[in-house]
Amino acid sequence: AQQGVRPFTEAEKSNPAMYTFNKKETLVCRGFNVKFFKAFLADCKVKKIVDGKTYLKSFDDLRKYYDAVVWVSKTSKEKLPENFFVEMDKWKASYKKECADAKADGRVEENDAEPIGAALFEMILGWAIAENNIFVWVFSLFQWNLMARSIN
């Protein structure tokens, strides 16, 4: 077994609110190594290198990894180490400044998120219907309508 992950329990697998997506393992939040996580984020921050210029991923792209770790902690009711939030607040402030400097230099892509294609959108709607999740279905339709209007 790998360090830092554990198998889902049967109760977690059967709980639709856990969103396991047929995965077998989840993070172990107790003892989570913040230094490794920051190293992972540092490795992920480079989007591309063109003509010697390093283009960075947007702040929001990397913040999503942080949000995912915090979400796992909340849903599994496992506490993250006390220094996690202090260290990550420092890292987020630093990377936000680094992104602002890179953006001023034209080295950050303006589109913070990739667009959702029609095929993926149909899959999301199909999943929402199969799970009897009317809220996701209605919300998605409204969002799609708003996105389509902004493009036109």
Side-chain angles (χ1 to χ4, degrees):
Q2 297 178 6
Q3 282 188 318
V5 293
R6 65 168 175 78
F8 280 112
T9 65
E10 289 303 319
E12 289 171 331
K13 287 180 188 176
S14 63
N15 182 356
M18 289 295 290
Y19 301 107
T20 58
F21 298 109
N22 298 323
K23 300 294 182 204
K24 294 178 177 29
E25 298 173 322
T26 188
L27 289 175
V28 174
C29 297
R30 186 178 49 258
F32 191 81
N33 192 325
V34 183
K35 289 180 183 178
F36 282 133
F37 186 56
K38 290 190 325 186
F40 166 77
L41 293 174
D43 187 53
C44 290
K45 74 180 182 180
V46 175
K47 185 159 191 155
K48 61 185 175 184
I49 299 174
V50 177
D51 298 328
K53 288 178 81 174
T54 302
Y55 290 81
L56 300 178
K57 290 184 179 177
S58 71
F59 173 78
D60 287 329
D61 279 349
L62 293 184
R63 181 190 46 78
K64 292 173 187 177
Y65 291 110
Y66 167 83
D67 291 344
V69 170
V70 172
W71 185 83
V72 167
S73 171
K74 286 180 181 177
T75 57
S76 67
K77 296 179 177 68
E78 288 184 37
K79 288 187 177 184
L80 288 161
E82 291 180 23
N83 69 335
F84 176 82
F85 294 102
V86 173
E87 291 293 319
M88 289 309 300
D89 285 347
K90 289 180 198 174
W91 184 88
K92 289 189 297 183
S94 172
Y95 191 66
K96 191 177 270 192
K97 184 180 180 323
E98 186 178 357
C99 271
D101 293 344
K103 196 170 199 173
D105 195 26
R107 295 182 297 113
V108 174
E109 303 264 338
E110 290 297 321
N111 55 339
D112 285 336
E114 300 295 325
I116 294 176
L120 177 58
F121 181 68
E122 287 178 16
M123 289 173 61
I124 292 169
L125 292 179
W127 170 82
I129 290 170
E131 293 292 321
N132 288 327
N133 195 334
I134 192 70
F135 174 76
V136 170
W137 187 79
V138 170
F139 180 79
S140 298
L141 284 177
F142 285 148
Q143 288 297 100
W144 188 267
N145 188 25
L146 291 172
M147 288 184 284
R149 287 177 184 264
S150 71
I151 292 171
N152 292 336

